[in-house]
Amino acid sequence: MASTTEPAESFKPYRLNHTLTGHKRAVSSVKFSDDGRFLASCSADKTARTYSLASPDAVHNEFHGHEMGISDLAFSSDGRFLATASDDRTVRLWDVATGSHIKTLNGHTNYVFCVNFNPQSNMLVSGSFDETVRIWDVKSGKCLKVLPAHSDPVTAVHFNLDGSLIVSSSYDGLCRIWDASTGHCMKTLIDDEHPPVSFVKFSPNGKFILVGTLDNTLRLWNFSTGKFLKTYTGHANSKYCISSTFSITNGKYIVSGSEDNCVYLWELQSRKIVQKLEGHTDAVLSVSCHPTENMIASGALGNDKTVKIWTQEAD
Amino acid sequence: MNAPIIDPLQGDFPEVIEEYLEHGVMKCIAFNRRGTLLAAGCSDGSCVIWDFETRGIAKEFRDKDSVAAITSVCWSKNGHRILVAAADKSLTLWDVVTGEKIARTTLQQTPLQARLHPGSSTPSICLACPLSSAPMIVNLDTTTITVLPVSLSDTANGVAPPSRNKFSDGSAPFTPTAACFNKYGDLVYVGNSKGEILIIDHKSIKIRGIVPIPGSSVIKNIIFSRNGQYLLTNSNDRTIRIYENLLPLKDGLKALDELNHESAEVDEVEKLRAVGSRCLALFREFQDSITKVHWKAPCFSGDGEWVVGGSASKGEHKIYIWDKAGHLVKILEGPKEALIDLAWHPVHPIVVSVSLTGLVYIWAKDYTENWSAFAPDFKELEENEEYVEREDEFDLVPEAEKVKDSDINEDEEIDIVTVEKDSAFSDSDMSQDEIRFLPADPCQDVPEQQDGHVLSTSKLGHGSQSLSPLSEEAGQNGHLTNHESSPLEEDTGGTRLKRRRKSSEKVLDFEEENVRKPQSKLKESINLLKTVK
C-alpha cells in the first residue's frame, strides 16, 4: 500500500487553521472564489454559505431558498455570482455580495448533482440524475442545450480553460468530452473495467483530466490520446462522489477527500502520498484549493458537518 | 482551442442556416477579433452587441440624440471600442465595457463605411468612406479631417479634391470610393472610380503606388484578409479580384521607399505604377459568368482560405463561397430577401448575413452527430476493409490477450500548467488586454408567476432574441428534450417568432417523431457496444 507519509523534498505539512461550523447537515461541496476572497460551502440542510477569508469565522452570507438539499455550487469567474445545484431539480443563481436570490433555472427532471460556470461566466453547465447535461445562458436563464450525456446519473461537469470543451462523468463508467459551442460529443473515455466515475475535472491547462472512480482510484488521463498517465491510490472512495483537485500554488499536488475521514495529498509526478490531513469525523466529500495561497478547504458528511481550512506554514 | 480531438476536416465552410437573430431592424454587422461578440447597427440608431456563444444580447448602445440608421460598425483591435457611422453624417466612438460615448464627430457627408485604425489598441484615427466623395482620415480626438487623394492629379496642388460629378466610365455620380487600412494601418489602399488601387501613406498624404485593375471599372469594395496577405476588390464589372500583398506586413513604408529608389522610371506616374506592380500581384478573379451578378459585401474567411460574396440582386439572398484556388464550392440560398451585409466568423466556419428585413442569419455547417464519438473504441472506416485475422485470433487463449499489463510509463513527467498559445491569432501578445466577452449579469427573476413573465423580462431586458430556435439547433442532432420542460415558453416563443429556416422540414419531422427517442437509442447502442466488446 502506498500510504507512506514521508514528505517529498521540502514539503511543508498543512495544518488545521479554522473549523467552520454552522451547517446543520452534511456539507456536500466547498469552493474558493477565483479572486481568492471568499469560500463557499453548500449542504444537505438546503443552504449555502459564503465566508470571507479575511474573517472566516463569521459567516459572510447565507443563501436560503432551495427546497431540498444542495449537492454542488460554483462561483462565477468574477466572484459576483454563485450557482447552486439542488435535489429540488433546480439550479439557482445568487448574488454573493447581498445574499439575494437572482434566478432559478428550471429544466432538469431529477436531482441536479453538479454545476460549473465557464471561464467567461456567460454560460453554466449542470449535470443531473436525469442523465442529461444542460448548458444554460447565465443572463437570461434559458437552457441553451440539453446533451444526452449518459445512461446513468451525471456526477460531475467541468469547463476547460477557454470554455470550449465540457467534460462530464457518470455512474455508467464513462467520461465524455463535449464541444461547448455546438453541444456535440467529441470523445468518450472508458477504461477496461469501467467502475462508476464519481468525479472529473480538467487540469489547469486543459490538457488532462483528473478522474475519480468508485474503486478507490484517481487517474490522470490525457483525453486526446485516451490513455491514462498517472494513478493515485491509498484513499478510500467507493460510496460517495468525492471531489478532488490540483494544488499548484507551491509544487504540484493532487488533493482529494476520502471516506476514511482524511484529506489526502499526493505529489503529482511521483504519485506518493505526501500527507494525510486528519481532523474530520466523517467522510470528507469535497476539497478545494485556494487560487493563490497555500490553503485547502474541506467539507465532511453528516457526523461532522464542518468545513475545515488548512494552511501550510509560512517560511 | 483543443485541436487534437476536433476533426480537422470539419472546419470548412457553412452549409445551412443554423438560426437567426432578431432585434429591431439590423443593418450592418461586425465580429470582434475572436468572434465571441457580434456588433450590429440598427435602423433606429442603436448598436447592439450579441454574445455569439449564447446568442443573446450582451449590451446595447443608444444615443438619445442620434436616431439615424447606422451604416457601419467597426471594432477596435482589442475590442474595447466600437466606431459607429450613422446616416446623420455622424461618427461615434463608444467604449464597449462602460457603454459610454467617447467621441463624436459630424462629417460633411454620411459615411458609408468607417474603419478604426487596426494597428493600435486605443485608436484615435479612423478611415471614413463617405457617400460621394473621397475617403478621409478622421482624427476622433482632435476632430481633424484629412481627405485622401483619389487620383494622382489630386496630390499635385495639395488642396482637397473637388467632389466629383461624373466618373470616367460614365457611372452615376454618387458612386462611393472604397478604402481600407492594411493590416497594421500604416498604409491605406484606396480603390477609385478609374479602376485603380492607390497605395497611400496617410500620414504624409502621398500616393506611393498605383495598381491598375484590368477592366478599369469602378471599385466598389476593397478589403484585406485578416492576415494581411491578400487583398480583395469588388468592381463594377461584376468581378471579385484577389491580389497577393507583396509588401512586408510591418514596415511597408520602408519597403515602398526602397522600391521607389529602385525604380528606374523618371515619369512620376510610371514610377508609381512600377512601384505598385511590386506591391500587389493579381492572384485570382471570381465572377458568375452565367448570371453575371453584381457582388455585395465580399470578404475573406478568418483564415483567408475562402472568399465569400453575396449576390447584390434584390429579391434573392445568395451567398457564394469560393476557395482560394478559384473554385466555387458552395452557393448558400436563404429566404427571398435581399442581402445587405455579410461577415465570416474569425475562427469558426460560420457566416453571418444580414437581410433587408433586418434579420441576421447565422449559417453553419450541417453537422451530423458523430455517433462514434460516443463509443470509445469505435473506429469509423471510410470504406470497406478486408479484415485479416491474427494468427491466434481463434485460439482459446489468444497470445495477444495474455500481455495485458499496461505499458504505460507512470513515471513520466506531465505538465498540467503550461498553456499553449493559440496559433490562430498571430499577435496574441495583445490578448491580455483584449475583451473576449462582456460580463453576463443574470436578469432578476420576477418572483411568483415566473413562467408567465418570461416574455416581459425578455422584452425589457434584451429584445427578442431567438429563444427556442436555440434548442432547435440542438434539434439537428436529435436532442429535443428541452421542449417538454418549458412548454409555456415554447408556446409564446413560437407564436412570436416566424420560423424561416432552410432545413426546417427535416428538423420538424424529426421533432414530432423522436422527442424522447434519442436518449433511449443511445442507451441501446451503448449496451450493444458493451456486449460487442
Side-chain angles (χ1 to χ4, degrees):
Chain A
M1 270 264 279
S3 46
T4 143
T5 42
E6 298 161 355
E9 289 170 346
S10 54
F11 177 74
K12 283 189 290 294
Y14 278 82
R15 302 237 184 281
L16 178 60
N17 211 328
H18 291 276
T19 300
L20 309 171
T21 56
H23 277 301
K24 302 189 187 53
R25 290 183 64 189
V27 175
S28 47
S29 182
V30 293
K31 289 254 171 80
F32 280 103
S33 62
D34 282 358
D35 57 7
R37 283 170 53 216
F38 293 104
L39 173 67
S41 65
C42 63
S43 158
D45 66 3
K46 309 181 207 162
T47 67
R49 284 158 176 250
T50 45
Y51 311 87
S52 161
L53 288 176
S55 55
D57 294 306
V59 163
H60 174 250
N61 259 320
E62 272 188 48
F63 304 89
H64 293 268
H66 273 297
E67 291 154 26
M68 290 177 75
I70 306 177
S71 300
D72 196 12
L73 50 59
F75 272 104
S76 65
S77 308
D78 53 12
R80 284 166 56 211
F81 305 108
L82 196 65
T84 51
S86 162
D87 283 357
D88 64 4
R89 292 177 268 151
T90 63
V91 173
R92 282 178 200 238
L93 281 170
W94 313 84
D95 183 317
V96 172
T98 60
S100 57
H101 166 242
I102 305 179
K103 238 171 161 51
T104 303
L105 309 179
N106 291 298
H108 277 296
T109 53
N110 207 326
Y111 311 142
V112 190
F113 201 68
C114 44
V115 73
N116 246 314
F117 276 93
N118 68 344
Q120 296 90 321
S121 294
N122 58 353
M123 297 205 280
L124 256 179
V125 64
S126 63
S128 160
F129 264 50
D130 66 4
E131 303 167 9
T132 63
V133 167
R134 278 177 187 250
I135 304 179
W136 310 83
D137 174 14
V138 169
K139 194 165 173 118
S140 60
K142 298 245 177 316
C143 178
L144 295 174
K145 292 197 184 44
V146 184
L147 312 179
H150 291 278
S151 46
D152 270 326
V154 180
T155 50
V157 282
H158 192 225
F159 274 101
N160 70 339
L161 179 66
D162 59 7
S164 58
L165 297 176
I166 296 173
V167 65
S168 67
S169 65
S170 161
Y171 282 152
D172 63 5
L174 305 172
C175 291
R176 290 209 159 111
I177 314 269
W178 309 83
D179 180 325
S181 49
T182 58
H184 298 131
C185 179
M186 293 281 116
K187 205 160 176 111
T188 303
L189 297 167
I190 192 171
D191 199 11
D192 283 332
E193 304 97 33
H194 42 96
V197 183
S198 54
F199 182 73
V200 75
K201 122 176 239 183
F202 276 106
S203 67
N205 63 357
K207 294 219 293 245
F208 306 97
I209 52 175
L210 182 64
V211 179
T213 44
L214 290 185
D215 61 350
N216 312 309
T217 315
L218 271 170
R219 287 206 163 89
L220 198 62
W221 289 72
N222 176 336
F223 61 83
S224 351
T225 61
K227 301 248 178 299
F228 63 88
L229 300 169
K230 303 268 182 198
T231 311
Y232 305 93
T233 50
H235 62 301
N237 184 5
S238 55
K239 276 198 308 191
Y240 299 108
C241 289
I242 293 185
S243 66
S244 43
T245 186
F246 297 90
S247 166
I248 51 173
T249 46
N250 186 9
K252 314 254 184 310
Y253 302 96
I254 302 281
V255 184
S256 172
S258 167
E259 283 150 17
D260 64 3
N261 310 355
C262 302
V263 176
Y264 280 72
L265 274 88
W266 294 264
E267 208 191 39
L268 178 80
Q269 311 291 1
S270 67
R271 293 127 40 224
K272 287 211 270 285
I273 298 179
V274 291
Q275 197 181 358
K276 274 166 64 168
L277 304 175
E278 291 163 17
H280 280 290
T281 53
D282 203 345
V284 178
L285 272 203
S286 174
V287 289
S288 176
C289 286
H290 192 276
T292 49
E293 293 178 27
N294 305 323
M295 201 188 297
I296 298 177
S298 58
L301 277 187
N303 231 355
D304 179 295
K305 303 191 263 259
T306 62
V307 175
K308 290 192 192 293
I309 302 184
W310 316 75
T311 48
Q312 249 183 355
E313 318 223 299
D315 265 329
Chain B
M1 297 269 272
N2 284 283
I5 58 171
I6 295 180
D7 187 358
L9 292 175
Q10 264 183 38
D12 285 346
F13 50 87
E15 288 157 352
V16 286
I17 293 183
E18 186 179 65
E19 63 184 299
Y20 62 90
L21 305 173
E22 190 177 353
H23 177 82
V25 176
M26 291 181 278
K27 295 247 141 225
C28 47
I29 46 172
F31 275 109
N32 69 341
R33 190 157 172 261
R34 305 241 162 197
T36 52
L37 298 170
L38 178 70
C42 304
S43 59
D44 62 356
S46 66
C47 177
V48 150
I49 299 188
W50 296 86
D51 179 333
F52 203 64
E53 290 173 355
T54 61
R55 309 282 160 89
I57 293 188
K59 222 170 178 97
E60 194 173 334
F61 301 132
R62 193 178 278 277
D63 189 356
K64 295 184 302 301
D65 311 319
S66 167
V67 289
I70 309 272
T71 54
S72 142
V73 276
C74 177
W75 290 85
S76 71
K77 188 170 187 185
N78 65 355
H80 279 278
R81 308 265 168 103
I82 285 191
L83 182 69
V84 170
D88 60 357
K89 312 181 190 164
S90 66
L91 282 176
T92 318
L93 188 66
W94 295 88
D95 181 316
V96 172
V97 175
T98 61
E100 310 240 307
K101 210 165 43 170
I102 301 177
R104 195 189 149 95
T105 347
T106 311
L107 305 174
Q108 297 277 357
Q109 299 205 326
T110 301
L112 278 188
Q113 206 194 68
R115 295 276 172 267
L116 279 171
H117 190 266
S120 59
S121 47
T122 42
S124 54
I125 58 173
C126 68
L127 177 65
C129 302
L131 186 53
S132 61
S133 66
M136 53 188 79
I137 298 276
V138 180
N139 184 321
L140 295 159
D141 288 339
T142 63
T143 67
T144 46
I145 297 176
T146 322
V147 181
L148 295 174
V150 287
S151 81
L152 205 47
S153 50
D154 293 343
T155 56
N157 40 11
V159 277
S163 61
R164 312 191 159 274
N165 286 323
K166 201 162 179 164
F167 292 120
S168 48
D169 59 356
S171 54
F174 291 107
T175 318
T177 335
C180 69
F181 279 110
N182 68 345
K183 179 162 180 177
Y184 289 105
D186 47 348
L187 296 168
V188 174
Y189 285 65
V190 173
N192 67 8
S193 57
K194 295 200 214 120
E196 294 169 335
I197 303 176
L198 307 173
I199 305 173
I200 299 178
D201 170 12
H202 62 83
K203 289 213 176 62
S204 60
I205 319 175
K206 276 183 60 173
I207 302 180
R208 303 304 304 272
I210 298 182
V211 182
I213 291 188
S216 302
S217 61
V218 179
I219 298 178
K220 298 196 288 190
N221 303 100
I222 186 166
I223 193 166
F224 264 97
S225 67
R226 261 178 57 111
N227 55 13
Q229 282 168 351
Y230 291 96
L231 180 71
L232 179 154
T233 60
N234 178 18
S235 314
N236 233 7
D237 64 354
R238 309 150 210 248
T239 310
I240 295 176
R241 291 183 177 83
I242 310 289
Y243 285 85
E244 207 176 324
N245 183 13
L246 303 169
L247 288 176
L249 292 175
K250 300 200 182 193
D251 301 324
L253 283 170
K254 217 167 71 175
L256 279 170
D257 285 334
E258 281 168 25
L259 286 173
N260 219 333
H261 281 303
E262 282 169 17
S263 166
E265 305 286 345
V266 175
D267 177 44
E268 203 195 329
V269 176
E270 284 308 313
K271 196 169 202 182
L272 287 173
R273 280 177 200 245
V275 171
S277 64
R278 305 273 296 280
C279 301
L280 289 175
L282 181 58
F283 187 64
R284 288 278 180 275
E285 288 188 356
F286 301 124
Q287 54 189 283
D288 187 335
S289 42
I290 301 168
T291 59
K292 298 241 182 278
V293 67
H294 277 279
W295 302 110
K296 186 134 181 123
C299 60
F300 285 97
S301 69
D303 53 4
E305 285 304 311
W306 311 94
V307 176
V308 65
S311 151
S313 314
K314 302 237 187 289
E316 68 176 7
H317 194 98
K318 272 188 171 169
I319 301 170
Y320 288 66
I321 305 179
W322 298 269
D323 67 10
K324 255 205 346 243
H327 308 122
L328 177 65
V329 292
K330 190 93 188 165
I331 301 180
L332 302 174
E333 275 199 59
K336 301 261 181 274
E337 304 150 0
L339 185 150
I340 53 177
D341 201 2
L342 194 60
W344 193 300
H345 192 280
V347 180
H348 297 305
I350 292 181
V351 164
V352 177
S353 65
V354 185
S355 86
L356 196 59
T357 58
L359 292 175
V360 170
Y361 292 102
I362 301 176
W363 302 78
K365 283 193 79 66
D366 189 9
Y367 187 89
T368 47
E369 184 81 58
N370 179 17
W371 293 110
S372 61
F374 280 91
D377 49 1
F378 198 78
K379 199 172 67 121
E380 271 186 7
L381 299 173
E382 285 298 316
E383 50 181 30
N384 289 336
E385 270 179 25
E386 188 74 34
Y387 182 65
V388 180
E389 58 261 18
R390 290 190 318 271
E391 184 68 42
D392 58 359
E393 178 114 14
F394 298 112
D395 287 357
L396 280 171
V397 183
E399 201 56 48
E401 267 188 30
K402 287 194 206 145
V403 184
K404 213 34 170 99
D405 30 280
S406 66
D407 42 355
I408 297 169
N409 178 15
E410 287 220 359
D411 290 324
E412 218 174 288
E413 289 262 322
I414 51 181
D415 181 2
I416 57 165
V417 182
T418 343
V419 183
E420 276 161 12
K421 268 222 276 228
D422 195 348
S423 56
F425 296 89
S426 52
D427 33 328
S428 41
D429 47 307
M430 276 245 326
S431 38
Q432 298 301 16
D433 204 25
E434 203 178 324
I435 291 195
R436 300 197 198 191
F437 49 89
L438 291 172
D441 288 355
C443 308
Q444 183 79 33
D445 269 352
V446 178
E448 264 95 287
Q449 309 126 312
Q450 238 173 304
D451 287 330
H453 276 244
V454 162
L455 249 192
S456 56
T457 48
S458 62
K459 271 194 208 145
L460 293 166
H462 33 242
S464 50
Q465 31 169 349
S466 48
L467 310 165
S468 340
L470 284 166
S471 45
E472 281 204 33
E473 181 261 337
Q476 282 180 342
N477 323 328
H479 317 151
L480 294 160
T481 50
N482 193 16
H483 285 182
E484 299 202 343
S485 47
S486 47
L488 205 67
E489 282 176 42
E490 231 287 83
D491 289 339
T492 46
T495 49
R496 275 209 305 154
L497 300 171
K498 301 166 284 240
R499 306 220 178 284
R500 282 179 276 174
R501 307 265 306 273
K502 200 64 187 129
S503 56
S504 40
E505 293 96 53
K506 190 167 89 164
V507 171
L508 285 173
D509 287 343
F510 202 34
E511 237 184 275
E512 269 133 43
E513 296 163 15
N514 306 333
V515 178
R516 273 285 173 189
K517 268 197 203 153
Q519 275 192 325
S520 42
K521 173 181 173 190
L522 198 55
K523 275 193 217 175
E524 283 162 29
S525 51
I526 290 292
N527 292 330
L528 199 64
L529 289 161
K530 278 187 189 161
T531 51
V532 164
K533 229 173 46 126

